[in-house]
Amino acid sequence: MKKQTKNWTTSDIPQRNKGLAVITGSTEGIGYEDALALSSAGWNVIIMGRNALKGAATIAEILEINPKAKVSFEKIDLADLSSIKAFASRMIERGEPIDLLINNAGVMTPPNRLETADGFELQFGTNHIGHFALTAQLLSLLRKAQDARVVTVSSIANRNGQINFDDLQSTSSYVPGKSYSQAKIANLMFALELQRRSEKHGWGITSIASHPGVSRTNLLINGAGKWSIPGIMRRFFPFLFQPQSQGALPTLFAATSPEAKGGLYYGPNKMSETRGFPTIAKIPEQANDSEVAKKLWEVSQKLAKVTF
């Protein structure tokens, strides 16, 4: 597989004239690159974010590059379960099958503990619970499609991640990086468990995980802050980070390549998966604990107030 995926680029994305792709957090960063590449390959892309003005600017930018692109914007706040439900209701009323869902949006290491609208720690609540709730509520539309894929974006920060069921919301102790790692290992475990459940229940959905390595996006600056150590590194030492277009490749490979397989994890192929072209990434040992994954699934259903 590594030989097959080496040096894969957006030029390898199969062209198509139909197919609906829904991408969270796609007004900038990795999500924007996903939207640009998929719309250029003929997909009908729904760009999602919290800011409608930003969404309109993103659409204008994509259309300037590709006037034939089929792109639209939908407002959603993944830190608010009511916003997720409202979006899902609009999509269900629309009734169109969803061929591809990319769970990309993320919050990274805010210095102080913040909460979502529903009282979850912001990183766990947005990165994991928000995407868990969204996928559950779009399940019927994913199942209507033929060979639908769900790609959930994790991070190399998951290598240190542990699911702390005694303090999922970091109320006893909030350490920004530790909470982020927990959220990102949760993303990976969700992707793997979704594949197992799809196979068990015959949902016909392929679930794959990916990560972008270390890429030049605004995630560090928007989360930790521009004067944090990571923010300073991002601003003043950009050569340490690969371009966001390169960081998007593992997700795009997982989303479109006939070679991508359900239940696998894709990331960059060089320098301990920090940069390069898409290849199979190493799954941390703790992410393969199916019993923890099952418990996380059940707890997440209760917190998100959804069922699959």
Side-chain angles (χ1 to χ4, degrees):
M1 179 66 71
K2 288 188 178 182
K3 187 175 182 181
Q4 292 173 321
T5 62
K6 186 178 181 182
N7 295 342
W8 187 94
T9 70
T10 54
S11 64
D12 295 305
I13 296 176
Q15 294 290 313
R16 57 191 295 163
N17 56 18
K18 62 178 182 178
L20 178 62
V22 176
I23 311 170
T24 69
S26 43
T27 58
E28 62 179 354
I30 300 297
Y32 164 79
E33 299 293 341
D34 294 340
L36 176 61
L38 291 171
S39 61
S40 297
W43 286 79
N44 179 7
V45 177
I46 294 181
I47 293 167
M48 303 166 69
R50 293 176 296 174
N51 188 318
L53 290 177
K54 203 170 183 179
T58 300
I59 289 174
E61 186 173 343
I62 290 176
L63 289 175
E64 185 175 351
I65 297 170
N66 176 18
K68 295 182 179 179
K70 295 174 287 185
V71 287
S72 59
F73 175 80
E74 283 283 349
K75 188 174 181 179
I76 189 171
D77 184 353
L78 287 166
D80 186 342
L81 292 177
S82 66
S83 177
I84 296 168
K85 185 175 182 180
F87 166 76
S89 296
R90 294 194 301 271
M91 293 301 296
I92 290 170
E93 184 177 357
R94 175 172 166 171
E96 185 176 352
I98 295 175
D99 299 273
L100 174 63
L101 169 62
I102 300 181
N103 291 322
N104 165 77
V107 177
M108 184 177 183
T109 60
N112 300 309
R113 184 184 180 278
L114 302 173
E115 291 188 349
T116 69
D118 304 281
F120 307 132
E121 186 274 316
L122 185 64
Q123 297 181 92
F124 186 78
T126 304
N127 300 354
H128 172 60
I129 295 297
H131 285 123
F132 186 95
L134 178 66
T135 306
Q137 294 184 53
L138 296 180
L139 186 66
S140 61
L141 297 179
L142 289 162
R143 294 188 65 185
K144 282 180 68 175
Q146 185 175 4
D147 302 322
R149 292 190 192 187
V150 176
V151 180
T152 302
V153 181
S154 187
S155 164
I156 56 174
N158 66 25
R159 295 169 181 173
N160 298 318
Q162 297 287 343
I163 304 299
N164 183 0
F165 289 109
D166 294 327
D167 192 22
L168 275 178
Q169 309 305 334
S170 303
T171 51
S172 298
S173 174
Y174 176 73
V175 179
K178 186 176 181 180
S179 295
Y180 181 68
S181 293
Q182 175 182 246
K184 299 317 286 185
I185 198 73
N187 283 149
L188 178 54
M189 296 180 82
F190 165 62
L192 301 179
E193 183 67 12
L194 179 61
Q195 177 64 25
R196 288 190 287 264
R197 293 185 181 236
S198 178
E199 291 174 356
K200 179 180 179 180
H201 300 296
W203 292 340
I205 297 168
T206 299
S207 176
I208 308 173
S210 68
H211 77 81
V214 178
S215 304
R216 272 196 306 274
T217 71
N218 288 328
L219 187 59
L220 282 169
I221 295 174
N222 293 340
K226 65 181 180 180
W227 299 116
S228 65
I229 291 176
I232 291 170
M233 294 290 287
R234 163 66 178 85
R235 284 163 62 84
F236 297 106
F237 299 93
F239 57 86
L240 297 176
F241 300 76
Q242 66 177 350
Q244 65 182 30
S245 58
Q246 188 79 18
L249 292 181
T251 297
L252 289 167
F253 177 87
T256 67
S257 174
E259 302 297 332
K261 305 298 181 184
L264 291 185
Y265 181 36
Y266 295 91
N269 65 348
K270 297 179 181 178
M271 296 180 67
S272 298
E273 299 181 16
T274 60
R275 62 183 64 229
F277 294 92
T279 191
I280 296 174
K282 183 179 179 181
I283 297 176
E285 183 179 354
Q286 65 271 28
N288 278 320
D289 190 327
S290 60
E291 292 305 312
V292 173
K294 289 177 184 177
K295 183 176 180 180
L296 177 63
W297 186 282
E298 297 305 322
V299 169
S300 298
Q301 285 195 131
K302 292 178 182 177
L303 293 174
K305 300 176 182 177
V306 295
T307 55
F308 276 79

